[in-house]
Amino acid sequence: MKNKLFSKLFISLSLVVMFSMATFNYFINPYKVFNHNYFSSYIKTRDHQASHRMTLFYSAVYQNPESLLIGTSRMGILPISEPKKYMPNKLFNMWMPGGTIEEQTHLIKYMIAKFNIKEIVWSLDFHSFNPELANDPNFSYNRVDPNAIYKDDYNLALFGYQTTFNSIKTLKDNLKNFKLNHKTTSKQKIEKSLKTKKQTVTLGNGWDEKVNSISNDEIDIQTKKQLIHYPEKYLRYRTFNNPKSIQSNLTKVEEIINICKKKNIKLHVYTSPVSQSFLNLYKEIGLQNTFVAWKKDLSKVTSYTDFCTLNSITKEKYNFLDGSHLKPSLGYLIYARLFHDNSVNIPNDFGIFIEKKN
Amino acid sequence: MLFNSYEFIFLFLPISFIIYFYLTSKRLITASKGWLIFSSLFFYSWWNIAYLPLILISILFNYSLSKSLIEFKEHNKNYISKKRLLQVGLILNISLLIYFKYMDFFISNTNFVFNSEISLLHLALPLAISFFTLQQIAFLIDSYEGLVEEKNFLDYTIFVIFFPQLIAGPIVHHAEMMPQFSSRWNLVKNYKNISAGLFIFSIGLFKKVVIADAFAQWANLGFTNSATLNLLEAWAASLSYTFQMYFDFSGYTDMAIGAALLFNIKLPQNFNSPYKATGIIDFWQRWHITLTVFIKTYVYTPILRSFSRITFTKAMFATFAAMFISGLWHGAGWNYIVWGSLHGVALVINHHWQKRKIKMNKILAWFITFNFVNVTLIFFKASTLSQAMEVLNNMITGNIVLYHSLDSVLSFLTPFGVHFGTVFTHIGEKPKTLVYIIIAFIIILAFKNSNELTEKFKASKYSLAYIFTLFIVAISMLSNFSEFLYFNF
């Protein structure tokens, strides 16, 4: 083979493969990175994400939200229908599993800079203040930098074998649904739809509704697992037992408080509830002083509602899925407390308002 | 801009190539060189345009100085001697490097020794400063020695800033580069070079994206969790870094050589299967060859020449000093100094062995050399000396944990401190680490290296299928691209 033919064949073949891959991925759009509606009547579900953070970010951006819920999975698990009662204007739940304060504050700053945000509910977890807790590998500073030209997500969403596989999977899922809707009798449709509903009806937040009917035995197993896994992943670091270690993250929280004040954004801050076994865990592994300092120092920065106490809800371990995530069915209590809804019967000791100390 | 990015492969490189050869085909030679300089400056500025003036000033200053050195005529009216002129140039170049690269290191050590509280400068290291400073120092010295003939400003600028070698080498010498830029033979599209360039570029891309980046995640996790690694994890982490370093850096070099070949420029070979080395002298003749040549020519030899009478002991002192400086060149940290010094000591020992004609079994020699390189690279990777010691300590005294599945067969080992559980928990819980390590050993020991393959390259349907596969696999794994290790130096 001549070198000229070799070079031309190599370049043309490579371009054909890359162009086909990019076109296919662009139209299927498995990560919802592109804001288009081509084939919207065929492709309705996109369940194969590259990362939760990326898809969540673009979903939020294309919704142009006015109200935000920010927090970790402890907030993510709560159904969005509850806060929607109090914040009806374009509400978006921007929860990030294991999100650090660094990640959360960058995201809030971005959303405030780019959109007309009027109200924010911010759920704070104790462990997020651990200064040694690393950002999720899928978090990107450039993505949440309002001034950056960020192209990595577009590259990821257009090219790559993983994206192509996810596009194929997305296409397959939707073809199944399409067949279900077009090639079955009405009776079959109802039966299949009921079957499907049992498996996939969600709370609109990515969590399966079946978590509400979790058995107590399963809760015991999950709590036991979490009590081993959680401290290893989030708490056991070299400096977190020093109460001063939380200061750097508190400063970041304070920065957000000031931005919200300046921009006249209504901000509701609360500490997320954890079960008694988790409150005891902090003592057992020598974090009690940091935990106490966290709440005390937080009150120097902002007023907040404290759910992370020993109270009627946290004393009952079966109110939690695994000791650290409140059951979604109880989420309404948090929002009712935050929005002073007197029509809801909330235990008196659940959610104590802590006023900012100057 | 990274070589392993879509914008480089599908936009920057093709556009630079097409316009360059369009200009040469129209016989606009100066414009084509100007275009190459412009595209290289664009490539450099992609990261941070703030450092563009620095490299431009450095080029202008060194070019003017070298021109003065070349044209210097000794007579009484000179205000400054030729030697003093060279010294000024060297001091300014080295000061620039010290200021940006070593200032914080000196300040923190001064603070430690004198218990002072001088604030650190926290300067960002200008990209490629270590490389373009070295190349220009060599040019100045050779201008002083009368070894430089080419003095065209455009050729000099391209020699310094030519984008394939700008960021992380190979460290090129003006004598092998500038004639290539001025040669008219190189101004015509050469499909033999283009196909060979595409061939080696694809191999490099595959090495970087598929192999090095896989090892990177395990090495990074291992060094982050250095204190808690078990024995197997510690070995897996250190070997992962050793392989990452080779496949990353040699992959980068292959891409640089490939990209340069498209423009008919032949960059020097930088790696020659270094992990096949059977001695540390042999290793340095195979690893980062262009740096070894530079250090030998411009550090080792001048040190040696400074002695009135050369003896073996003095030569060994010069060897150690050269490696010490090489360690310091790699980074401002005690870990790099320890790494360089350990290699210095090993080279001295190796020279002693050679002098005494001590022969060693080849397999044993390879085993010792490879493990020495592996262990010393721990200092290279670690962010602190204590982290390096933690990894090393766990490689010797860490808990021995074997897979659950071996429990029934090897349970008799329990009284000897052997545990059964998940082996690679702290480096990502991926059993494939082990598979990758075995494959990497096979590649480095049993396969020809990319230069050997390129030398024997012939355009055929088989070679097309081979590199097309490598390229497409690498390209489809590019999405999470990462920087090259040597970008930090």
Side-chain angles (χ1 to χ4, degrees), chain A residues 302-314:
Chain A
T302 180
S303 304
Y304 66 95
T305 309
D306 191 4
F307 294 98
C308 197
T309 59
L310 195 59
N311 55 52
S312 319
I313 298 293
T314 57

Side-chain angles (χ1 to χ4, degrees), chain B residues 196-236:
Chain B
L198 293 171
F199 181 79
I200 194 166
F201 186 90
S202 302
I203 294 176
L205 188 67
F206 185 87
K207 278 159 85 173
K208 161 67 184 161
V209 177
V210 182
I211 308 177
D213 285 355
F215 280 119
Q217 48 183 321
W218 305 317
N220 291 340
L221 277 169
F223 278 77
T224 306
N225 300 318
S226 56
T228 50
L229 299 174
N230 65 43
L231 189 124
L232 278 181
E233 286 169 344
W235 275 96

Side-chain angles (χ1 to χ4, degrees), chain B residues 97-109:
Chain B
L97 199 58
I98 288 174
Y99 178 70
F100 281 103
K101 195 165 176 176
Y102 302 102
M103 215 50 187
D104 277 356
F105 178 63
F106 290 141
I107 293 173
S108 56
N109 280 291

Side-chain angles (χ1 to χ4, degrees), chain A residues 11-64:
Chain A
I11 292 167
S12 343
L13 282 172
S14 304
L15 286 176
V16 166
V17 170
M18 294 309 293
F19 184 74
S20 313
M21 198 190 278
T23 310
F24 177 64
N25 290 330
Y26 176 76
F27 284 113
I28 302 294
N29 194 15
Y31 309 145
K32 300 182 193 172
V33 165
F34 305 106
N35 190 20
H36 68 64
N37 286 317
Y38 305 127
F39 309 117
S40 58
S41 50
Y42 301 100
I43 297 167
K44 288 175 178 168
T45 58
R46 289 177 171 89
D47 297 331
H48 303 282
Q49 302 171 358
S51 84
H52 169 83
R53 278 162 170 76
M54 186 172 90
T55 300
L56 178 103
F57 177 81
Y58 289 99
S59 302
V61 163
Y62 296 139
Q63 268 198 24
N64 193 8

Side-chain angles (χ1 to χ4, degrees), chain A residues 1 3 18 151 156 159-161, chain B residues 6-7 195 459 475-476 479:
Chain A
M1 188 187 279
N3 284 305
M18 294 309 293
K151 56 181 179 33
L156 179 71
F159 306 105
Y161 77 99
Chain B
Y6 295 111
E7 56 267 26
S195 49
I475 258 327
S476 66
S479 311

